Amino acid sequence: MREVAVVGIGLTDFGEKWDTSFRDLCVEAGAKAIEDAGMDGDQIQEMFVGNMSGGRFVLQEHIGALIADYAGLATNHIPSTRTEAACASGGLAFRQAVSCIASGTQDIVIAAGVEKMTDVSGGETTDALAGAADREWEGMYGVTFPALYAMIAVDYMNKYGLTREQLAEVAVKNHYNGARNPIAQYKKEITVDAVMRSTLVADPLRLLDCSPVTDGAAAVILCSLEKAKEFTDCPVKVIASTQATDTIALHDRRDISTLDATVAAADRAFKMAKIDRKDIDLVEVHDCFTIAELCAIEDMGFCKKGEAGKLTEEGWTALGGKLPVNTSGGLKSCGHPVGATGIKQVCEVVAQLRGEAGKRQIDGAETGMTHNVGGTGATVVTNIFRRV
Amino acid sequence: MSVPRFWRKQHSRYNLTGTKCETCGKYFFPPRSLCPTCRREGKIVEHNFKGTGKVVTFSIVRTASEEYDLQTPFAVAIIELDEGTRMTAQVICDIDKIHIGMPVKSTFRKITADGESGVIVYGTKFVPA
Ligand SMILES: CC(C)(COP(=O)(O)OP(=O)(O)OC[C@H]1O[C@@H](n2cnc3c(N)ncnc32)[C@H](O)[C@@H]1OP(=O)(O)O)[C@@H](O)C(=O)NCCC(=O)NCCS
Ligand SMILES: [Zn+2]
C-alpha cells in the first residue's frame, strides 16, 4: 500500500445559509481546497462526496455527478461517487479517497462532504435525521434522534454517576473553542447555567446539549506522499483510516452506553498507525450530543469508562488541557451539516498540524485524530494524521 | 409510513410476534429472518412474546417530528422482554414516574395516523405492570 497525504483543505462558513444552494456550498469548499493545494482542478482524477440526505433535504439524488458537473470536472469525465452512512457520510468519502490512492488506483483525489439542512421545516429535519437509526423499529414509535442519545445518557448516568452539570461542561468547552473558530455557526461562549436553563429536547438532553441544524460543506485534497511535496511544504500524512459497523438499532447493542464500533475502529487505527493513545496531541470527536463526546473519549481508549465527565470538568479536554478535544468547537458549536462533518474534522486536524489554527492552535501539535459516527454508533470512521 | 410497508409487518406489530432461532435458542424482536450468530445453520421459527419486561433506559420526547408533535411530551424506552430480547417502544405512564427497572407489559394502541382521514397505524406500546 502507498502512503497517503492531505495537501489541501477547504471549508465554507457553517450556519443557516439562506443565500447559498446545496451545489454552491460544495463547489465553494472544493475550490478552496484546490486553491489551498496550489493545484489545477484538471489534476484531480477522482471525487468522493459524502452526503446523508440530499433526497430528503433538497430532493436531489445523484450527488456525485451533480458536484463534479458544477465543479467543472464533468467535462473531464472523472469518476465521482457519493458515499452515505448518515452522519458518517463524510468519513466514508475520506476513507474511500485514502483507499483509492493507497491502492494505486489514482494519484490525486478530492474528498468532499456537504449538507443543506435548513430548506425544510424543523419537523421534517427531525424526521429525516431519524432515518439514521432504524426507521421501522425505532423511528416508527416517534423516537427522535436526540431521544436515542438521551437514552444513552440515562444509561450512562445510572452506571457511572455522571452529573447533569458535568454533561453541560462539554457544551461549555466546545462553545469556548467555537468562539475562536471563524467558520463556526455559534461563535459565542456559554455557561453551565445557560445549558441547564435551555429547553428540554429529550430528557435529560437540552437544546444546548444538541448539535444544531446546519448548512455547510468541506473538502480535502489527497495524494500519494511522494507527490505531496510538489504541492506543499507541510503535507500531513494519513497514518490510519479505519471504519467499523455495529447493530443499526440502539436496543440491540451489547452495552447501551458503549459504542463498540468506536472501540473497534479506534483499536484498528492505533494498530495500523503503530502508535499509542498518549501520542495523540488532539482529537476531533463526534459530539452530536454532549453525552456522545464523553462516550467517544472513553471508547477510543483515552481514559477509563465513566471517567470522561470528571476529566472534562477538570479541563483535561480543554484547549490547554492534556488532550484537547474538539478544538474546532465540535459539532456542538461549529455546527453539524451531517454529510460534511467527517471532512470538516479532517480540515481542523490538518490545520492544527500545520500550525494554522489561529486562536485555537495547540502548540507543537504533531499527531491528531478524527472520529466520525453514523447513527447512534452503527458506523464509525477514525483517522490518524501526522505532520511530516 | 406507506400502507404496504406497515401492513407487511402488521402481524408482528399487533401481536408482538417475533422470531426464535431453534439452533441457539435466541429470541428476536424485532423479528429477524437470519440468526446473526448461527447464520445459515440457524433455524428460524415464529415466536409470540409474552409482552412482559422491564425498562432498560428511557427518555421523554419534547421535540418530535410533525407526525408525533401532538403527542408530546411522551415517554420512550428500551424494554427488555422477559425472553431476553430488547425493543424500543413508547411507555404510557406518568412521565415523571418512569424509571430504570420499571416492570411493564405490552398493550395494543394507536401509534400515529396519516393525517386526519388517513390510515391509522396501530402497534405495541407498554404500560406499567
Ligand atoms: C435541538 C433542536 C431540536 C433545536 O431545534 P429548534 O427547537 O427548532 O430550535 P430553533 O431553530 O427554534 O432555535 C431556537 C434558538 O436556539 C438556537 N439554537 C438552535 N439549536 C441550537 C443548538 N443546537 N445550539 C445552540 N443554539 C441553538 C437558534 O439559533 C435559535 O436562536 P434565536 O432564537 O436567537 O434565533 C435541533 O437543533 C436539532 O434537532 N438538533 C439535533 C440535530 C441532530 O440530531 N443531528 C444529527 C446528530 S448525528
Ligand atoms: Zn442462532
Side-chain angles (χ1 to χ4, degrees), chain A residues 134-136, chain B residues 1-10 13:
Chain A
D134 186 337
R135 170 70 66 182
E136 294 207 12
Chain B
M1 196 174 272
S2 72
V3 176
R5 185 168 179 189
F6 180 77
W7 176 84
R8 196 179 300 134
K9 293 284 182 221
Q10 196 181 42
R13 293 190 197 282

Side-chain angles (χ1 to χ4, degrees), chain B residues 21-26 28 35-39 41-44:
Chain B
C21 172
E22 289 200 323
T23 310
C24 68
K26 275 209 192 77
F28 305 110
C35 171
T37 310
C38 312
R39 295 195 279 260
E41 268 82 60
K43 187 171 180 299
I44 297 284

Side-chain angles (χ1 to χ4, degrees), chain A residues 16 87 117 122 125-126 129 132 145-146 149 175 185-186 188 199 201 206-213 286 288-289 331-333 336 338 373-375, chain B residues 63:
Chain A
E16 201 161 345
C87 319
M117 301 172 73
T125 309
T126 300
L129 290 171
F145 211 67
Y149 272 92
H175 270 266
Q185 180 164 6
Y186 293 111
K188 62 163 196 248
T199 328
V201 174
R206 295 174 177 273
L207 182 84
L208 290 175
D209 289 295
C210 304
S211 57
V213 168
H286 197 93
C288 49
F289 300 93
L331 284 52
K332 174 69 216 62
S333 160
H336 183 26
V338 285
V373 179
Chain B
T63 303

Side-chain angles (χ1 to χ4, degrees), chain A residues 121 140-141 151 201 203 251, chain B residues 57 59 62 66 68 88 90:
Chain A
S121 71
M140 155 77 197
Y141 298 108
M151 291 201 281
V201 174
D203 307 22
H251 56 232
Chain B
T57 184
S59 179
R62 313 259 175 185
E66 272 143 28
Y68 295 88
T88 300
Q90 286 188 24

Side-chain angles (χ1 to χ4, degrees), chain A residues 24-218:
Chain A
D24 287 346
L25 279 170
C26 199
V27 168
E28 180 190 330
K32 283 180 174 163
I34 293 169
E35 173 87 37
D36 181 55
M39 63 173 59
D40 190 279
D42 286 331
Q43 290 174 275
I44 305 244
Q45 296 166 322
E46 184 152 353
M47 174 185 287
F48 294 93
V49 186
N51 174 250
M52 172 179 171
S53 200
R56 289 295 301 274
F57 293 128
V58 290
L59 302 181
Q60 178 71 57
E61 310 288 6
H62 209 167
I63 309 295
L66 173 80
I67 302 305
D69 178 7
Y70 275 75
L73 299 176
T75 41
N76 294 351
H77 310 296
I78 64 161
S80 179
T81 308
R82 176 238 190 123
T83 56
E84 191 276 320
C87 319
S89 300
L92 258 63
F94 183 78
R95 184 165 168 277
Q96 289 304 312
V98 171
S99 306
C100 188
I101 294 165
S103 65
T105 307
Q106 308 286 13
D107 291 324
I108 303 176
V109 175
I110 185 165
V114 57
E115 211 75 54
K116 174 86 193 157
M117 301 172 73
T118 64
D119 276 357
V120 294
S121 71
E124 258 180 274
T125 309
T126 300
D127 189 53
L129 290 171
D134 186 337
R135 170 70 66 182
E136 294 207 12
W137 301 105
E138 294 183 308
M140 155 77 197
Y141 298 108
V143 178
T144 59
F145 211 67
L148 290 167
Y149 272 92
M151 291 201 281
I152 295 179
V154 167
D155 184 66
Y156 186 109
M157 289 167 128
N158 179 54
K159 281 181 181 144
Y160 307 108
L162 172 80
T163 67
R164 202 20 284 211
E165 283 78 7
Q166 286 171 330
L167 211 44
E169 294 283 1
V170 175
V172 171
K173 186 261 299 169
N174 287 344
H175 270 266
Y176 180 90
N177 297 351
R180 283 147 185 79
N181 185 352
I183 70 140
Q185 180 164 6
Y186 293 111
K187 289 187 266 294
K188 62 163 196 248
E189 292 180 27
I190 57 168
T191 59
V192 167
D193 196 45
V195 181
M196 306 295 284
R197 276 188 291 107
S198 62
T199 328
L200 271 168
V201 174
D203 307 22
L205 299 181
R206 295 174 177 273
L207 182 84
L208 290 175
D209 289 295
C210 304
S211 57
V213 168
T214 311
D215 302 330

